[in-house]
Amino acid sequence: MTSLVASAAPDSARRPTSRDLFMGFLRLGMISFGGALPLSRRMLVEREGWLNGEEFAELLALCQFLPGGNIINMSVAVGMRFRGARGGLAALLGLITVPGVVVILLGVIYDHFRNDVYVQHLFAGLAAAASGLMIAMGVKVARPLLRDKPAMAMACLSFAVIALARFPLLYGMVGLSLASAALVVWRQRK
């Protein structure tokens, strides 16, 4: 994974320290329960300027392909890109520290009140809010692709294969990865 994410940062981007990575992802972890990915784009691209929109989309694609949680993968990839293994660890620890503690505490509280109808309605509302955050992030990530017709075609094909045709995820990802690699080779030969 190191070779895929360790490319040099753009000259215009500020190169974060390990402390910057820890603190940035700590703030992200504190404000983004259930929806860290949409807020991560805002932090990494819009607020900190560590990545541009295209770099974020490419790194997100890599992180979605890897096993594990996308935002966990993203934190490690961003940390490793700028500061190697130490940066990856700093970003990961920053991301999971506060949510880890809060989830444990909420689990204890939920265990006592899980049959309460108000608690059940609260969780239904949280699920709707999380869905809205994911849609908003999807729109922001797709914007840079709108000018790239082959990338848009690949995004539409991915949607058709996974969402509409309901191919098993493993087979769909393998096939789409091969199609994407073929597209890159074709574009480089032009």
Side-chain angles (χ1 to χ4, degrees), residues 68-185:
N70 297 336
I71 189 60
I72 298 290
N73 294 342
M74 179 70 78
S75 69
V76 173
V78 168
M80 289 183 69
R81 175 180 180 156
F82 291 106
R83 294 293 169 183
R86 183 176 178 178
L89 183 61
L92 175 64
L93 289 176
L95 181 69
I96 66 173
T97 298
V98 172
V101 171
V102 171
V103 164
I104 290 169
L105 293 174
L106 287 176
V108 170
I109 292 169
Y110 179 73
D111 189 47
H112 286 49
F113 298 104
R114 70 174 155 227
N115 295 324
D116 186 324
V117 72
Y118 295 112
V119 171
Q120 292 170 353
H121 289 297
L122 173 73
F123 279 98
L126 290 173
S131 298
L133 286 170
M134 290 303 293
I135 291 168
M137 189 212 51
V139 169
K140 284 185 177 183
V141 168
R143 279 190 185 138
L145 298 177
L146 292 175
R147 293 179 295 276
D148 187 350
K149 289 182 181 169
M152 276 304 296
M154 197 69 218
C156 291
L157 177 63
S158 298
F159 179 77
V161 166
I162 302 295
L164 301 178
R166 301 219 182 258
F167 272 71
L169 186 59
L170 177 62
Y171 300 130
M173 291 300 290
V174 169
L176 291 166
S177 296
L178 293 173
S180 180
L183 179 63
V184 168
V185 169

Side-chain angles (χ1 to χ4, degrees), residues 49-61:
W50 295 341
L51 303 172
N52 64 38
E54 185 177 315
E55 291 169 325
F56 180 85
E58 289 173 1
L59 202 54
L60 177 60

